[in-house]
Amino acid sequence: LCKFAFNSYTPNVKHILIINGPNLNLLGKREPILYGSETFDEVVEELRKKFPKVKISHTQSNSESDLIEAVQHADASDVEGIVLNPAAYTHTSLALADAVAAVAAPTVEVHITNIFARESFRHKSHVSRYAAGVISGFGVAGYHLAVAFLSDFRE
């Protein structure tokens, strides 16, 4: 990933969808020590400034079924890459993992905190095996890393 910090971007991916799972609507308010004080709208604004040639859409839901539908609808639209922070569903949802496995768009799994430095039940991800990559523990900068990777992704 270091190459992204030094090269100019020539995006291959034109439309990236960011999907956030449960409780991420509270970003900026919820446990700022763990998750930071930035709201997700502020994160998206930064991403749009940093990657002006990439269309960035985003959605958030506390509902597992809504997240599954967002992944499936992305595959049926012009979305060419997915950034997914499944939050707690990372560790519990086989259905969400199956949705990621079923879509053609590459998916990068993102976690704001280092899930491997937290409780042991958070060390298992059902999604990771189907993701193009996993970014964990870099705060909201993980979204920047994921968009950088997907904007330059070539199959």
Side-chain angles (χ1 to χ4, degrees):
L1 286 178
C2 290
K3 72 174 187 165
F4 295 121
F6 302 106
N7 291 340
S8 61
Y9 297 101
T10 310
N12 182 41
V13 175
K14 302 291 186 226
H15 185 186
I16 294 173
L17 173 63
I18 301 171
I19 303 172
N20 276 331
N23 299 310
L24 289 167
N25 56 309
L26 301 175
L27 199 60
K29 298 176 196 168
R30 175 188 176 207
E31 300 176 86
I33 299 273
L34 285 177
Y35 299 100
S37 58
E38 215 171 351
T39 68
F40 198 69
D41 286 338
E42 292 170 332
V43 173
V44 170
E45 183 61 30
E46 288 174 9
L47 290 169
R48 288 182 175 145
K49 286 179 183 173
K50 187 172 182 177
F51 302 96
K53 295 181 181 178
V54 178
K55 178 182 176 184
I56 296 173
S57 302
H58 65 96
T59 189
Q60 184 280 329
S61 180
N62 295 319
S63 165
E64 181 180 23
S65 63
D66 289 348
L67 298 173
I68 292 166
E69 291 204 17
V71 170
Q72 292 174 352
H73 282 83
D75 201 43
S77 70
D78 67 340
V79 171
E80 297 171 272
I82 299 170
V83 176
L84 174 63
N85 185 337
Y89 290 129
T90 303
H91 323 291
T92 61
S93 181
L94 295 171
L96 185 56
D98 287 346
V100 172
V103 299
T107 299
V108 175
E109 180 182 345
V110 170
H111 299 283
I112 295 169
T113 64
N114 180 353
I115 62 174
F116 301 103
R118 297 187 65 189
E119 305 91 340
S120 61
F121 71 87
R122 295 186 193 273
H123 299 177
K124 171 70 175 162
S125 169
H126 293 291
V127 175
S128 294
R129 104 180 253 178
Y130 304 111
V134 179
I135 300 168
S136 176
F138 292 101
V140 295
Y143 292 99
H144 291 259
L145 295 168
V147 171
F149 171 77
L150 289 170
S151 69
D152 202 35
F153 185 80
R154 304 199 199 308
E155 292 190 75

